[in-house]
Amino acid sequence: MDNLARLIQQTMRRRHLTAQAVAEQTGIRTPRVKAFAEDGANGPIHPTEDELRELARTLSLPLSAVLGVAHPSVKSKAASEARRLRQHASGRRTPARRSH
């Protein structure tokens, strides 16, 4: 079991929340919530940064704790996407990579 799954399961159990209740509060579809609670970030369905933020908010967990137990690829994808959006917003374009 993944650390994210363990954190979600423990918190849902402690707060007496079902996956459906979490889905209704977060806007994340119930099957995705169930997948995160069962497989964490290592399963076939990977949470986005927005989904992790919503889970943290709904479960009253520190965002740093949720992001800290998320799979490194989730954090790096989220970081690269955030970097890309910041560059796009500032009007900068990243130089094209040249292959030799």
Side-chain angles (χ1 to χ4, degrees), residues 23-93:
E24 289 172 2
Q25 292 179 25
T26 61
I28 302 169
R29 292 184 24 235
T30 303
R32 288 184 70 82
V33 173
K34 286 181 180 178
F36 303 153
E38 292 172 9
D39 302 325
N42 291 328
I45 299 174
H46 303 285
T48 64
E49 184 178 4
D50 287 340
E51 289 172 327
L52 293 171
R53 287 180 188 281
E54 281 300 311
L55 287 169
R57 183 188 59 76
T58 299
L59 299 174
S60 299
L61 295 168
L63 180 59
S64 59
V66 174
L67 292 176
V69 296
H71 191 272
S73 66
V74 173
K75 291 190 287 188
S76 65
K77 285 179 189 175
S80 64
E81 179 66 13
R83 186 170 40 255
R84 185 187 69 74
L85 290 172
R86 279 194 308 273
Q87 289 173 344
H88 180 68
S90 68
R92 290 190 342 197
R93 293 180 53 108

Side-chain angles (χ1 to χ4, degrees), residues 2-30:
D2 176 281
N3 287 335
L4 179 62
R6 185 175 299 119
L7 179 64
I8 291 172
Q9 284 179 8
Q10 289 173 348
T11 306
M12 286 173 56
R13 193 175 311 119
R14 189 172 49 245
R15 296 184 182 281
H16 305 287
L17 293 171
T18 64
Q20 184 175 355
V22 172
E24 289 172 2
Q25 292 179 25
T26 61
I28 302 169
R29 292 184 24 235
T30 303

